[in-house]
Amino acid sequence: MYGSDYTVSDVMTRSVVALTAGALFKDIVRTVRTRRISALPVVDVGNRVVGVVSEADLLRKEEFRDSDQQVWRGTGSASAHDKARGVTAADLMTSPAITVHADETLAGAARVMARRGIKRMPVVDADGVLRGIVSRGDLLRVFLRPDQEIAEEVLREVTRGRLPDSAGALRVGVHDGVVTLAGEVGDPAVVPLVEGLTRSVEGVVDVRCELSGPRHQSAGGKASGTDSAGGDKEAAHRRADEETTVNDRAPSDEQVIGLVGDAVAAPSMHNAQPWRFRYVRHTRTFELHADYDRAMPYSDPRTRGLHIGCGAALLNLRVALADEGWQAETRLLPHPEQPTLVATVRLSGRGGDRDLAALHGAVTERHSSRFPFEERRIPDSLRGALAEAARREGATLVYPASWHLQQVLDLVREAEARGLTDSESDRELAEWTRTDAPSVNGAADGVPAYAFGPVRSGGKAPMRDFAGPRRVSGRNSAVFEAAPQIACVSTTHDRPEDWVKAGQALERVLLLATTEGLVCSLATQPLERPDLRWLLRDPKTGAGHPQMLLRLGYGPVGPRTPRRPVADVLELQR
């Protein structure tokens, strides 16, 4: 592969759920279901991959459930029968595992998957240590490279590398991954080579080659020549000129829908999703509006939480635009005469923010986890990176410790105790929570019972009981962390603009945390009560306005919660 240096390590998922050989059958099934993945690597004490447990391995137990021992011995493979009787990962796993090296090319990984008929592979280093997971979808991500990025690579690595004398006369246009090569080359013999090398660039869907050899003067003094496609040279140049501007073409309606689909994956208070979007085609501008019909007058009378949710959706939109290779100019609360308008995002050209684009994979993977976390400390380097992510969006992220952490946890408990006797708070909570079965209730918002998590029977984690006084059938209890790791997002001021900034900072922190293998839940209980919120401030400075509490750590990923269809929240306008 000429020019492109994409390897498996560039597209793999680094946050990996792995099993030890002693993991029990039911725990494995639970992990597969909650994580929504089809296979899990099994590692030894050195984190080296020794096997893989797939859904097919687990289903052996059901496959042979009605068969007696004699039938087991007489039909099928002994391995399948052994797995049907297995109780641990060591019994169930397929070994040796099919793995791929982190430095393997994407083409090489794709060939292995196709030849072996598998959908995902553990990624290992030279010592066999697990470094990530790569799926078919990860390999396909390369075809989402921005057209401008592909064009720059073709110009830099292919045409200028192989045709240095002709580079100034060449034109490279890219639209939806299809590359058009046009212009005049000194040696027509190299045209097939250039076309082939262009096809090898990652993300190229097809190549339209309109390159030609040098022109010759005719007897009448006019330049003549035939391009490689047999067409008129001047027409070829005109087509190439048109292609050079194609990268600034406005996104299609389908692309706009996809971008807003990413935006609405954001978290919001009680999953109310209090936002609406408008896309104005002729100005290439997204408008983000607050949906005040989804406000919570009792718990959020100033709509601070509503604006934080809108800010999180705004950050997701910016991430999605960056991933598509767009530069965007964002203005917060730009028109005071439009009280619902939270922000505008105008597409100003190509070349997206790479740091934001790197977070795109986490947009749909981020889910609140209301399960117990491990008692494992987050490394200081990662804590610093999360704080820097908040700073880049105009907010502060601090980690309460010692007596301050205890004070924060006490304030959460105080807010919870008040909620037990607060009928208005309970009424509002009941409006946005769903205790019936998903198959019965088709609501596309709110918090469904399957996302409540277990009832806390011990530990200090600041967990809201979304069930309130209502009973939820089949809900378990669990002991949570004794030393929860809490972070607080704060802003210097406390205006609507600051709330939107806090929402963007919150989502940037959550996406980075997800990328780095952390899970998170949000705690808003003391923030809903002004007197308690004031006491959450940083005790060192006594300044700042707390906007959100985060519980971070390592543990099971939470389930996906419902989202309103994009058609319900997006208006397309000429």
Side-chain angles (χ1 to χ4, degrees):
M1 180 173 59
Y2 183 86
S4 298
D5 56 358
Y6 276 68
T7 64
V8 169
S9 65
D10 294 319
V11 300
M12 70 183 185
T13 300
R14 299 179 185 276
S15 174
V16 185
V17 182
L19 304 171
T20 61
L24 297 177
F25 184 95
K26 292 191 73 169
D27 290 335
I28 299 171
V29 172
R30 188 175 296 110
T31 302
V32 167
R33 282 179 55 82
T34 56
R35 295 279 184 160
R36 300 185 180 184
I37 50 182
S38 59
L40 296 163
V42 183
V43 296
D44 63 14
V45 293
N47 208 34
R48 290 179 291 272
V49 178
V50 296
V52 171
V53 175
S54 67
E55 288 177 326
D57 295 326
L58 297 168
L59 283 172
R60 296 297 186 188
K61 194 173 291 294
E62 193 64 29
E63 178 184 352
F64 292 96
R65 181 174 299 283
D66 296 331
S67 303
D68 59 28
Q69 294 295 324
Q70 294 300 320
V71 174
W72 283 19
R73 296 190 185 100
T75 62
S77 68
S79 175
H81 298 153
D82 291 341
K83 289 180 181 180
R85 293 190 292 267
V87 295
T88 67
D91 304 325
L92 299 160
M93 70 183 183
T94 298
S95 182
I98 301 170
T99 62
V100 64
H101 196 278
D103 292 333
E104 178 62 86
T105 63
L106 302 189
R111 284 192 290 269
V112 173
M113 285 188 175
R115 188 166 59 248
R116 297 299 189 108
I118 56 179
K119 297 180 180 179
R120 60 203 319 261
M121 291 187 296
V123 182
V124 298
D125 62 15
D127 297 321
V129 175
L130 181 64
R131 295 304 182 196
I133 289 285
V134 66
S135 67
R136 292 177 180 178
D138 293 328
L139 298 181
L140 290 173
R141 278 168 49 195
V142 72
F143 289 105
L144 300 179
R145 290 184 71 189
D147 289 343
Q148 182 67 29
E149 186 176 307
I150 295 173
E152 290 171 355
E153 181 169 341
V154 172
L155 280 169
R156 181 180 67 251
E157 303 291 351
V158 179
T159 60
R160 292 171 186 166
R162 293 289 174 167
L163 303 168
D165 296 333
S166 306
L170 299 180
R171 294 175 177 82
V172 177
V174 186
H175 179 52
D176 287 344
V178 177
V179 179
T180 299
L181 301 172
E184 183 178 295
V185 299
D187 183 3
V190 302
V191 170
L193 174 62
V194 170
E195 181 178 354
L197 293 175
T198 301
R199 290 185 186 279
S200 73
V201 171
E202 295 288 2
V204 171
V205 175
D206 197 8
V207 177
R208 296 171 182 169
C209 189
E210 299 174 356
L211 296 173
S212 69
R215 296 183 178 189
H216 301 286
Q217 290 295 113
S218 65
K222 293 183 178 180
S224 65
T226 304
D227 66 317
S228 60
D232 177 75
K233 285 293 296 182
E234 294 303 323
H237 281 297
R238 285 196 299 273
R239 287 194 297 272
D241 287 337
E242 293 170 357
E243 290 289 348
T244 59
T245 62
V246 76
N247 290 317
D248 284 330
R249 190 174 297 168
S252 66
D253 288 353
E254 290 75 15
Q255 289 173 313
V256 169
I257 290 170
L259 291 164
V260 173
D262 283 340
V264 301
S268 57
M269 187 173 177
H270 299 355
N271 194 29
Q273 304 167 51
W275 44 62
R276 292 184 295 106
F277 290 85
R278 177 184 294 134
Y279 178 69
V280 184
R281 295 187 183 95
H282 78 277
T283 60
R284 298 194 305 191
T285 300
F286 289 87
E287 296 180 359
L288 169 58
H289 291 260
D291 186 346
Y292 289 110
D293 289 339
R294 293 175 169 270
M296 299 177 193
Y298 186 79
S299 302
D300 187 30
R302 298 179 64 199
T303 68
R304 185 187 59 83
L306 180 147
H307 280 81
I308 289 175
C310 287
L314 176 60
L315 191 281
N316 273 3
L317 176 62
R318 290 171 51 208
V319 167
L321 287 169
D323 185 65
E324 289 289 333
W326 285 101
Q327 292 181 357
E329 295 178 359
T330 302
R331 294 182 61 199
L332 303 185
L333 307 171
H335 299 293
E337 68 276 10
Q338 298 185 51
T340 67
L341 186 57
V342 173
T344 58
V345 182
R346 187 179 70 84
L347 307 186
S348 58
R350 301 298 294 181
D353 184 321
R354 290 181 178 271
D355 290 340
L356 282 177
L359 300 175
H360 184 256
V363 167
T364 56
E365 295 299 320
R366 181 219 60 80
H367 307 298
S368 294
S369 177
R370 300 183 181 93
F371 298 96
F373 295 172
E374 300 173 18
E375 301 279 3
R376 175 161 49 123
R377 178 179 166 80
I378 301 170
D380 289 341
S381 58
L382 181 50
R383 287 172 171 246
L386 296 175
E388 173 61 17
R391 188 198 65 77
R392 296 182 68 172
E393 298 301 330
T396 301
L397 184 76
V398 298
Y399 302 91
S402 187
W403 66 267
H404 183 213
L405 174 59
Q406 186 58 54
Q407 176 178 306
V408 169
L409 296 176
D410 288 344
L411 292 170
V412 173
R413 281 194 292 273
E414 169 66 18
E416 291 172 344
R418 293 187 191 181
L420 293 176
T421 57
D422 190 334
S423 60
E424 283 300 309
S425 176
D426 182 63
R427 179 196 59 76
E428 209 164 62
L429 185 65
E431 182 181 350
W432 293 102
T433 50
R434 321 296 178 197
T435 56
D436 47 2
S439 59
V440 176
N441 187 294
D445 53 16
V447 183
Y450 65 77
F452 287 2
V455 178
R456 186 183 62 197
S457 61
K460 297 183 178 181
M463 304 304 300
R464 182 195 289 271
D465 189 349
F466 279 96
R470 294 162 293 164
R471 296 180 61 84
V472 178
S473 177
R475 191 177 178 209
N476 299 322
S477 62
V479 176
F480 284 73
E481 311 95 272
Q485 300 179 83
I486 307 298
C488 181
V489 176
S490 299
T491 54
T492 302
H493 302 289
D494 199 32
R495 304 160 302 189
E497 180 178 351
D498 302 293
W499 303 337
V500 179
K501 288 180 180 179
Q504 292 186 94
L506 168 67
E507 184 68 346
R508 187 158 187 157
V509 168
L510 293 177
L511 295 182
L512 179 58
T514 301
T515 300
E516 295 296 330
L518 296 177
V519 289
C520 178
S521 64
L522 306 179
T524 64
Q525 301 94 308
L527 295 162
E528 296 164 19
R529 302 184 181 274
D531 59 326
L532 301 183
R533 180 188 173 211
W534 184 248
L535 298 174
L536 291 170
R537 290 176 303 156
D538 180 1
K540 292 182 179 179
T541 63
H545 297 268
Q547 305 292 355
M548 185 61 68
L549 292 177
L550 295 77
R551 166 180 164 252
L552 296 159
Y554 298 93
V557 174
R560 188 187 306 273
T561 50
R563 286 296 183 274
R564 292 198 285 166
V566 172
D568 290 356
V569 300
L570 172 62
E571 175 189 349
L572 295 171
Q573 189 178 88
R574 294 188 182 281

